[in-house]
Amino acid sequence: MTDATTFLAAFRDTRRPDRPDAVRVGDRTASWSELRRAAAALARDLPDDGPVAVCAEPTLDTVVAVVGCLVAGVPVVPVPPDAGSAEIAHVVADSAATCWVGPPRDGVELPVLALPDGEAGSDGSLPTPAEDDAPAIILYTSGTTGAPKGVVMSHRALRTGIEGLADAWDWTDADVVAHGLPLFHTHGLVLGILGSLHVGSRVVHTGRPTPAAYAAAGGTMYFGVPTVWTRIARDPDAARALAPARLLVSGSAALPVPVFERLRELTGHALVERYGMTETMITLSTRADGERRPGWVGVPVTGARTRVRGEDGQDVPADGETVGRLEVSGPMLFDGYLNLPEVTAEVLAPDGWFSTGDLATKDAHGFHRIVGRESVDLIKSGGYRIGAGEIETSLLAVPEVLEVAVLGLPDEDLGQRIVAYTVVAPGHGTDELAARLVDHVADDLAWHKRPREVRFVETLPRNAMGKVQKKSLLDTAAGAGGGAPA
Ligand code: MCA
Ligand code: AMP
């Protein structure tokens, strides 16, 4: 475990010998000193105190931009490169970003800041680190309703979250982290890239996270969402190529037990499973030196605490069976949702306990199992968190759509796939309209938020209050084989 007290400690430490291949993204590589010079040059050029919106394509430029903002102490807002028009407008306005780094985008009126040419005029001297409690990054994530919320994470939250994982996973500067996850979420950006710069490990971003790319990456520690591991488990040659690694880590959604077992056969590794949220970093994990139990996400990482609460507000028995609401606390938690104090207060208590919205059970050894979510309106598809409400709002803007209910149905590849139950006027439910609705959401919100399926129905089941009964739709889908992969 690193004892550093400044985020990105290893990267900042100029006494360490340089590493020529510290960060690799696709086919570009940077040493620590090159990255320091580029980040320092950007930090010098930032026009004000930000926040700075960064179009977070999976490139080395994104790494430079994010690290440049962090070392300047200017909050950074990673924007999904495929964000659609409504989503991008919301993120830019809500975050009050003052400039944009990355390829110009239609509808973004902000001044575009080009990355400095090469490392021009920069000797790599980094500014004085920001205060530990200063905001470092604002990550946009979906809720059950409304537009995505900005999760404000301090330098302290990122640092302590990474240090908890370094301890749990024996993660050191001898490691090579490999992954191919997006650079606008906690998993790929904060853990994979920034975590490596804090701990001192090398990091290889593979581009798209295909089994072949993982097989070729030469990592000691691999990060993946369950969809990535499911695809690797179906490709025995790629899976076997991961045998020399030290640790294979799964998170962001539930890893199916058969995938865990199949990968154990093929790679010789029992995967480390860990649980977290954008708001909390990773709070639970199995440990490098501890038990791995398929279907279970382990014990609190250093600094994190958990409790599982019943309907009566008391802890449920730690018997490994009784299910309750999972609450977490620790220094790795967020400061709140940007501009949303009331919403923050609903989930983050003044004493620091955060209500995750997940249902869990804990056993006598402190091992946790995530059983599901309280709300059917938060969907996890391919490890992405997607709110049913934002998709419904987007679809209702299409004139032919009279009513819509969006659900996550079980899917062997994606965990859940987004299905839109849609009511249209008689005769309008055509394949052409279904395709148009899918494209509409992809263009309006994001590619990964598009429905994978549109089902035209005559009516939606509603209760006496007129509220759509999504559980009843889910039950009907399950009865009709809705759990089968698309
Ligand atoms: C992909 N395609 C596109 C686009 N993106 N086409 C047009 N526009 C786009 N924007 C195409 C690809 O080229 C490909 O086509 C096809 O769609 C499928 O692409 P693929 O990459 O396989 O996408 P997928 O199947 O939809 O996604 C699977 C995935 C993805 C790669 C696993 O879901 C993913 O990256 N998930 C990671 C989410 C994540 O990082 N979550 C962490 C949240 P063709 O096949 O023709 O080439 S943080 C979190 O949850 C907490 C903190 C935690 O605990 O970690
Ligand atoms: P996100 O905001 O994208 O970070 O999503 C966080 C949510 O992902 C959590 O509230 C859980 O529902 C889910 N999640 C993350 N890790 C796991 C895991 N290992 N097992 C089950 N669900 C998980």
Side-chain angles (χ1 to χ4, degrees):
M1 178 173 170
T2 170
D3 60 359
T5 53
T6 303
F7 188 45
L8 306 181
F11 164 70
R12 285 177 162 280
D13 184 357
T14 46
R15 292 162 307 179
R16 285 174 176 254
D18 199 12
R19 299 194 91 150
D21 47 4
V23 181
R24 181 177 188 82
V25 186
D27 54 9
R28 283 182 66 199
T29 301
S31 66
W32 275 341
S33 57
E34 286 165 340
L35 189 55
R36 252 185 239 123
R37 284 196 296 274
L42 178 68
R44 183 197 57 199
D45 287 358
L46 289 174
D48 51 35
D49 292 341
V52 172
V54 172
C55 181
E57 295 174 312
T59 61
L60 196 57
D61 282 353
T62 294
V63 177
V64 169
V66 170
V67 174
C69 292
L70 290 174
V71 298
V74 170
V76 59
V77 185
V79 181
D82 68 337
S85 47
E87 188 147 316
I88 214 160
H90 167 69
V91 169
V92 165
D94 186 66
S95 66
T98 59
C99 69
W100 173 267
V101 181
R105 278 284 310 257
D106 283 350
V108 176
E109 306 292 327
L110 298 173
V112 176
L113 182 66
L115 289 181
D117 193 12
E119 300 137 20
S122 165
D123 67 0
S125 306
L126 301 178
T128 310
E131 295 292 320
D132 217 22
D133 283 332
I137 196 163
I138 304 167
L139 293 163
Y140 276 81
T141 191
S142 297
T144 50
T145 57
K149 298 180 291 237
V151 174
V152 182
M153 300 297 282
S154 64
H155 290 255
R156 180 208 63 246
L158 304 185
R159 176 177 63 75
T160 55
I162 296 299
E163 286 168 2
L165 292 178
D167 175 50
W169 300 343
D170 292 341
W171 181 2
T172 70
D173 58 8
D175 277 306
V176 180
V177 171
H179 77 81
L181 299 171
L183 296 188
F184 48 88
H185 280 313
T186 302
H187 199 160
L189 177 64
V190 179
L191 273 48
I193 303 287
L194 303 179
S196 291
L197 294 177
H198 186 67
V199 171
S201 51
R202 283 177 51 208
V203 56
V204 176
H205 190 281
T206 61
R208 277 178 63 192
T210 59
Y214 271 43
T220 64
M221 259 207 312
Y222 283 84
F223 294 172
V225 296
T227 300
V228 168
W229 292 119
T230 301
R231 292 176 184 182
I232 292 173
R234 290 190 192 132
D235 186 335
D237 288 340
R240 287 191 196 101
L242 303 185
R246 189 175 67 77
L247 225 53
L248 308 182
V249 185
S250 177
S252 303
L255 181 71
V257 171
V259 175
F260 179 104
E261 300 292 9
R262 180 73 178 134
L263 286 170
R264 177 148 56 185
E265 276 169 38
L266 291 168
T267 66
H269 289 281
L271 262 67
V272 162
E273 284 184 72
R274 93 301 180 284
Y275 160 87
M277 291 184 76
T278 304
E279 290 89 334
T280 67
M281 296 286 285
I282 308 309
T283 46
L284 290 163
S285 183
T286 54
R287 298 182 61 89
D289 59 0
E291 181 191 354
R292 323 270 168 84
R293 201 190 296 172
W296 293 69
V297 294
V299 296
V301 302
T302 307
R305 294 199 298 154
T306 65
R307 60 192 190 192
V308 182
R309 293 270 152 125
E311 291 295 335
D312 57 3
Q314 301 300 309
D315 289 353
V316 302
D319 56 9
E321 284 179 11
T322 313
V323 174
R325 298 191 171 95
L326 177 64
E327 299 181 4
V328 300
S329 73
M332 60 285 282
L333 264 56
F334 72 142
D335 292 333
Y337 298 115
L338 192 67
N339 308 322
L340 295 169
E342 285 95 11
V343 182
T344 304
E346 282 169 23
V347 287
L348 184 62
D351 63 2
W353 283 97
F354 173 75
S355 198
T356 63
D358 289 306
L359 301 172
T361 174
K362 171 156 82 167
D363 77 4
H365 307 287
F367 248 66
H368 293 65
R369 185 162 68 88
I370 306 299
V371 176
R373 281 203 66 87
E374 278 183 82
S375 170
V376 293
D377 285 327
L378 261 193
I379 299 168
K380 266 269 154 165
S381 188
Y384 285 113
R385 170 167 146 188
I386 300 155
E390 56 183 321
I391 303 175
E392 289 161 0
T393 304
S394 177
L395 287 171
L396 283 169
V398 177
E400 288 91 336
V401 176
L402 304 177
E403 294 176 61
V404 65
V406 166
L407 287 174
L409 296 193
D411 186 277
E412 277 185 18
D413 180 46
L414 297 170
Q416 290 183 305
R417 70 177 185 283
I418 300 170
V419 178
Y421 286 79
T422 312
V423 180
V424 293
H428 282 77
T430 60
D431 288 349
E432 183 277 325
L433 178 60
R436 191 147 50 82
L437 295 180
V438 171
D439 288 346
H440 171 79
V441 176
D443 292 342
D444 197 33
L445 301 179
W447 174 259
H448 65 266
K449 293 183 178 176
R450 73 201 189 283
R452 303 285 171 141
E453 199 184 326
V454 174
R455 294 188 183 178
F456 293 111
V457 290
E458 281 177 21
T459 54
L460 295 174
R462 291 182 185 271
N463 66 12
M465 309 291 292
K467 189 171 166 4
V468 176
Q469 299 297 88
K470 289 199 175 177
K471 291 229 159 77
S472 137
L473 275 174
L474 276 175
D475 292 344
T476 313

